[in-house]
Short mmCIF file of all heavy atoms in Angstrom, two decimals:
data_model
loop_
_atom_site.label_atom_id
_atom_site.label_comp_id
_atom_site.label_asym_id
_atom_site.label_seq_id
_atom_site.Cartn_x
_atom_site.Cartn_y
_atom_site.Cartn_z
N PRO A 20 19.21 31.45 -14.68
CA PRO A 20 19.33 31.44 -16.14
C PRO A 20 18.33 30.51 -16.82
O PRO A 20 18.48 30.20 -18.00
CB PRO A 20 20.76 30.94 -16.35
CG PRO A 20 21.07 30.12 -15.16
CD PRO A 20 20.29 30.69 -14.02
N THR A 73 13.51 18.37 -24.61
CA THR A 73 14.00 19.69 -24.19
C THR A 73 14.80 20.31 -25.34
O THR A 73 14.97 19.69 -26.39
CB THR A 73 14.88 19.58 -22.92
OG1 THR A 73 16.08 18.87 -23.25
CG2 THR A 73 14.14 18.87 -21.80
N SER A 74 15.30 21.49 -25.13
CA SER A 74 15.98 22.23 -26.19
C SER A 74 17.04 21.39 -26.89
O SER A 74 17.25 21.49 -28.10
CB SER A 74 16.66 23.46 -25.61
OG SER A 74 15.84 24.06 -24.64
N ARG A 75 17.71 20.59 -26.13
CA ARG A 75 18.79 19.79 -26.70
C ARG A 75 18.24 18.76 -27.69
O ARG A 75 18.97 18.34 -28.59
CB ARG A 75 19.55 19.21 -25.51
CG ARG A 75 20.18 17.95 -25.55
CD ARG A 75 20.87 17.62 -24.20
NE ARG A 75 21.10 18.75 -23.30
CZ ARG A 75 22.25 19.00 -22.69
NH1 ARG A 75 23.27 18.22 -22.88
NH2 ARG A 75 22.38 20.02 -21.89
N ALA A 76 17.00 18.39 -27.57
CA ALA A 76 16.39 17.51 -28.57
C ALA A 76 16.32 18.23 -29.91
O ALA A 76 16.56 17.63 -30.97
CB ALA A 76 14.99 17.08 -28.12
N ILE A 78 18.40 20.59 -30.87
CA ILE A 78 19.78 20.66 -31.36
C ILE A 78 20.16 19.33 -32.00
O ILE A 78 20.69 19.28 -33.12
CB ILE A 78 20.77 20.97 -30.20
CG1 ILE A 78 20.38 22.27 -29.48
CG2 ILE A 78 22.20 21.03 -30.72
CD1 ILE A 78 21.21 22.55 -28.22
N PHE A 100 27.67 26.15 -24.13
CA PHE A 100 26.77 25.59 -25.13
C PHE A 100 27.44 25.45 -26.50
O PHE A 100 27.00 24.65 -27.32
CB PHE A 100 25.45 26.37 -25.17
CG PHE A 100 24.62 26.08 -23.96
CD1 PHE A 100 24.59 26.96 -22.89
CD2 PHE A 100 23.91 24.90 -23.85
CE1 PHE A 100 23.86 26.68 -21.74
CE2 PHE A 100 23.17 24.60 -22.71
CZ PHE A 100 23.15 25.49 -21.66
N LEU A 103 28.82 22.13 -26.20
CA LEU A 103 27.76 21.12 -26.41
C LEU A 103 27.56 20.85 -27.91
O LEU A 103 27.43 19.69 -28.33
CB LEU A 103 26.45 21.59 -25.77
CG LEU A 103 25.24 20.68 -26.01
CD1 LEU A 103 25.41 19.34 -25.31
CD2 LEU A 103 23.95 21.35 -25.52
N VAL A 146 25.87 29.48 -31.33
CA VAL A 146 24.95 29.70 -30.22
C VAL A 146 24.65 31.19 -30.24
O VAL A 146 25.58 31.99 -30.36
CB VAL A 146 25.59 29.32 -28.87
CG1 VAL A 146 24.66 29.62 -27.71
CG2 VAL A 146 25.99 27.84 -28.87
N GLY A 148 22.67 33.12 -27.79
CA GLY A 148 22.89 33.60 -26.43
C GLY A 148 23.39 32.44 -25.60
O GLY A 148 22.69 31.46 -25.44
N ASP A 149 24.62 32.53 -25.12
CA ASP A 149 25.15 31.44 -24.30
C ASP A 149 24.97 31.81 -22.83
O ASP A 149 25.69 32.66 -22.30
CB ASP A 149 26.63 31.17 -24.64
CG ASP A 149 27.05 29.78 -24.19
OD1 ASP A 149 26.76 29.41 -23.04
OD2 ASP A 149 27.65 29.05 -25.01
N THR A 150 24.00 31.18 -22.19
CA THR A 150 23.68 31.54 -20.80
C THR A 150 24.84 31.28 -19.86
O THR A 150 24.87 31.83 -18.77
CB THR A 150 22.46 30.77 -20.29
OG1 THR A 150 22.51 29.46 -20.81
CG2 THR A 150 21.17 31.44 -20.68
N SER A 151 25.80 30.43 -20.26
CA SER A 151 26.90 30.14 -19.34
C SER A 151 27.78 31.36 -19.14
O SER A 151 28.39 31.53 -18.10
CB SER A 151 27.73 28.95 -19.85
OG SER A 151 28.40 29.29 -21.04
N ASP A 175 21.64 27.96 -32.12
CA ASP A 175 20.87 27.56 -30.94
C ASP A 175 20.40 28.86 -30.28
O ASP A 175 21.20 29.59 -29.72
CB ASP A 175 21.76 26.75 -29.99
CG ASP A 175 21.09 26.48 -28.64
OD1 ASP A 175 19.89 26.80 -28.49
OD2 ASP A 175 21.76 25.94 -27.74
N THR A 177 17.96 28.99 -27.99
CA THR A 177 17.16 28.59 -26.82
C THR A 177 17.03 29.71 -25.78
O THR A 177 15.94 30.00 -25.30
CB THR A 177 17.80 27.38 -26.12
OG1 THR A 177 17.94 26.33 -27.06
CG2 THR A 177 16.97 26.92 -24.94
N ALA A 178 18.17 30.30 -25.46
CA ALA A 178 18.18 31.22 -24.33
C ALA A 178 17.83 32.64 -24.75
O ALA A 178 17.51 33.48 -23.91
CB ALA A 178 19.56 31.20 -23.68
N GLN A 200 11.73 27.27 -21.97
CA GLN A 200 11.91 27.60 -20.55
C GLN A 200 12.73 28.85 -20.27
O GLN A 200 13.07 29.11 -19.13
CB GLN A 200 12.50 26.41 -19.80
CG GLN A 200 13.98 26.14 -20.03
CD GLN A 200 14.25 25.15 -21.15
OE1 GLN A 200 13.53 25.11 -22.12
NE2 GLN A 200 15.30 24.35 -21.02
N LYS A 201 13.03 29.62 -21.32
CA LYS A 201 13.79 30.85 -21.08
C LYS A 201 12.84 32.04 -21.31
O LYS A 201 11.95 32.23 -20.53
CB LYS A 201 15.02 30.89 -21.97
CG LYS A 201 15.89 29.62 -21.90
CD LYS A 201 16.87 29.60 -20.75
CE LYS A 201 17.51 28.24 -20.50
NZ LYS A 201 18.72 27.98 -21.26
N SER A 207 10.32 23.45 -19.72
CA SER A 207 11.17 22.75 -20.69
C SER A 207 10.43 21.51 -21.16
O SER A 207 9.57 20.98 -20.46
CB SER A 207 12.50 22.36 -20.04
OG SER A 207 12.29 21.36 -19.08
C1 PLP B 1 19.37 26.76 -21.39
C2 PLP B 1 19.97 26.43 -22.69
C3 PLP B 1 19.72 25.21 -23.31
C4 PLP B 1 18.87 24.22 -22.57
O1 PLP B 1 18.81 22.94 -23.11
P1 PLP B 1 17.78 21.94 -22.44
O2 PLP B 1 17.95 20.69 -23.19
O3 PLP B 1 16.41 22.52 -22.57
O4 PLP B 1 18.18 21.83 -21.00
C5 PLP B 1 20.26 24.98 -24.56
N1 PLP B 1 21.00 25.92 -25.17
C6 PLP B 1 21.27 27.11 -24.58
C7 PLP B 1 22.10 28.13 -25.29
C8 PLP B 1 20.76 27.39 -23.32
O5 PLP B 1 21.02 28.55 -22.72
#
Side-chain angles (χ1 to χ4, degrees):
T73 67
S74 320
R75 148 180 343 228
I78 303 173
F100 287 100
L103 175 67
V146 177
D149 200 312
T150 38
S151 66
D175 171 7
T177 303
Q200 75 268 34
K201 309 275 168 89
S207 69

